[in-house]
Amino acid sequence: VEKYYNEYIAPQHGLKIVETDAHGEVQSESVLKPSKDGESVTLTIDARLQEKLYEFIENLAKDRGFQGGAAVLMDVENGELLSLVSFPEYNSQVLTDGTNATAITRAFNDPKKPFLNRATDGLYTPGSIVKPFVALGALEEKIITPEKTIVSTGSLSVPNPFDPKKPTVFNDWKAHGAVDMRRALAVSSDVYFYEIGGGFEDQKGLGIANIEKYMRMFGFGSVPPGSDMFGEAGVIPNPEWKKANFNGDGWRLGNTYHTAIGQYGFQVTPLQVARAVAAVANGGKLLPPRLVEEKDEPLTYSVLPIQTSSFQVGREGMRAAVTDGGTATGLFLPQVTVAAKTGTAELGTKKQFVNSWVVGFFPYEKPRYAFAVLMERGPRDNTIGGLYVMRELLEWMSVYTPEYLSPITE
């Protein structure tokens, strides 16, 4: 913000010519250019939330071996950012002073990349947090109803036309049994989303072109509008991308399956995710993020061509993830009603590291804020991640900033 707005708000020196006599007495003066006081801008950031979120992410990263973390908290009605956290940070005063060469060199050589703003510029594999957007696409394209069930026995086997004895197996993270769309979102069934993403037997799939269509509709694959402060575009895997990155190799059904659950070459920023979740919460308004209060500026946004009933199914599935034995039960709190979706994205060829995500909104009955929390590159066997950070924040907010947790009354 300081860099972007500096030319508009910096004070300016004036210029005055003063004529004095031999005794130093002023005889005349002429102002050629008047001085100008500096202007002020007011951030939308709440410093209290910013400080606590950074603290919670830092503590968990150090305790559980994560490389870094990021968090975004966004108003779902006007796009104002209450918090935009990136860990680790650098000490800006050390750079300003320029005297501690050792500390400066250490910061530049730090493998944890403290100069990367992870919230706006960090690109991460999203994993299962993309499933609500795949679900909305499936409803809009009418390839499945919310009530139809798909059975997950723990895996999906695709026949091999060249060797029937060696089918290709796509694993779920557990056997979920028969799940409809709401339940599939709550428990994060991979098999369900393989089938509605790529199709299987008599279940039609969205296909990669439609998956990409709906992901772009929610702002993935492009820089959020507003200013050049908002970073990277990311990657939505498609056949052209695969040809360019895999020596001309063709697209396969398995690539669609993996894209539908947020794996393969998928790359998103935490800010993109929070913005997309805010659109689910508010019923289809894709808002530009705001870091500076602009009370006199008209609010402009895109209205997504998705039915209200489809959004409601997505919201109900995310709420069930919290209340009905889903993957986000850690956010079932007495102080506030939360709807959420977790994601654990596997990294590397050996999959020994993961990104841990939680995204969602609150209060559920009348959403005010969307959130996205990422814990970056932690050990696979660790079970405490982004959800733990968000729970800590909400519990802290219930004591120190309860005004954010209750629905706004008309």
Side-chain angles (χ1 to χ4, degrees), residues 86-90 112-124 232 376:
S86 177
F87 170 81
E89 258 285 5
Y90 60 93
K112 293 184 179 180
K113 299 181 174 64
F115 293 102
L116 172 66
N117 186 333
R118 287 163 161 80
T120 60
D121 292 68
L123 293 175
Y124 301 99
E232 294 288 339
E376 174 190 333

Side-chain angles (χ1 to χ4, degrees), residues 109-182:
N109 294 332
D110 190 337
K112 293 184 179 180
K113 299 181 174 64
F115 293 102
L116 172 66
N117 186 333
R118 287 163 161 80
T120 60
D121 292 68
L123 293 175
Y124 301 99
T125 306
S128 294
I129 60 172
V130 305
K131 289 176 179 175
F133 311 108
V134 175
L136 289 169
L139 292 176
E140 290 301 298
E141 296 299 319
K142 296 181 170 46
I143 66 169
I144 196 168
T145 65
E147 295 74 28
K148 180 182 176 181
T149 60
I150 291 174
V151 177
S152 167
T153 59
S155 64
L156 181 153
S157 295
V158 176
N160 184 339
F162 304 103
D163 188 346
K165 296 180 181 179
K166 295 181 179 180
T168 303
V169 178
F170 297 88
N171 291 316
D172 208 328
W173 68 275
K174 66 178 290 187
H176 299 286
V179 293
D180 63 11
M181 182 172 284
R182 294 175 179 86

Side-chain angles (χ1 to χ4, degrees), residues 199-392:
F200 183 73
E201 295 181 346
D202 62 346
Q203 174 58 56
K204 185 180 178 182
L206 273 172
I208 192 58
N210 272 327
I211 291 175
E212 181 177 9
K213 168 187 167 182
Y214 283 94
M215 292 302 164
R216 292 195 181 279
M217 189 182 294
F218 278 93
F220 297 109
S222 61
V223 177
S227 77
D228 58 5
M229 291 185 287
F230 295 137
E232 294 288 339
V235 175
I236 303 170
N238 61 26
E240 292 74 24
W241 169 86
K242 186 180 180 184
K243 284 181 180 179
N245 289 276
F246 290 88
N247 298 318
D249 199 10
W251 190 263
R252 294 179 174 82
L253 175 61
N255 304 143
T256 303
Y257 284 169
H258 289 142
T259 302
I261 63 166
Q263 291 283 165
Y264 203 40
F266 226 132
Q267 299 273 276
V268 301
T269 70
L271 180 58
Q272 284 177 340
V273 175
R275 183 175 176 238
V277 171
V280 175
N282 65 31
K285 293 183 289 188
L286 190 64
L287 302 162
R290 291 188 174 192
L291 265 177
V292 174
E293 287 188 359
E294 299 172 334
K295 297 187 182 302
D296 297 329
E297 290 291 321
L299 181 63
T300 59
Y301 53 83
S302 302
V303 178
L304 305 184
I306 292 177
Q307 299 177 81
T308 300
S309 59
S310 297
F311 279 120
Q312 186 58 28
V313 171
R315 289 192 292 263
E316 289 171 0
M318 293 175 71
R319 178 60 178 160
V322 176
T323 63
D324 194 18
T327 60
T329 54
L331 295 180
F332 188 50
L333 301 168
Q335 302 95 333
V336 61
T337 53
V338 182
K341 182 73 192 77
T342 59
T344 304
E346 298 173 331
L347 308 176
T349 55
K350 296 182 180 179
K351 298 181 173 58
Q352 71 269 42
F353 297 103
V354 296
N355 291 335
S356 174
W357 289 89
V358 67
V359 306
F361 58 88
F362 62 89
Y364 172 71
E365 296 81 5
K366 191 168 184 181
R368 293 179 62 190
Y369 302 104
F371 60 85
V373 178
L374 161 79
M375 294 303 297
E376 174 190 333
R377 196 173 177 81
R380 181 187 176 89
D381 57 358
N382 169 57
T383 58
I384 298 177
L387 187 145
Y388 181 78
V389 169
M390 196 61 206
R391 181 185 177 96
E392 280 191 303

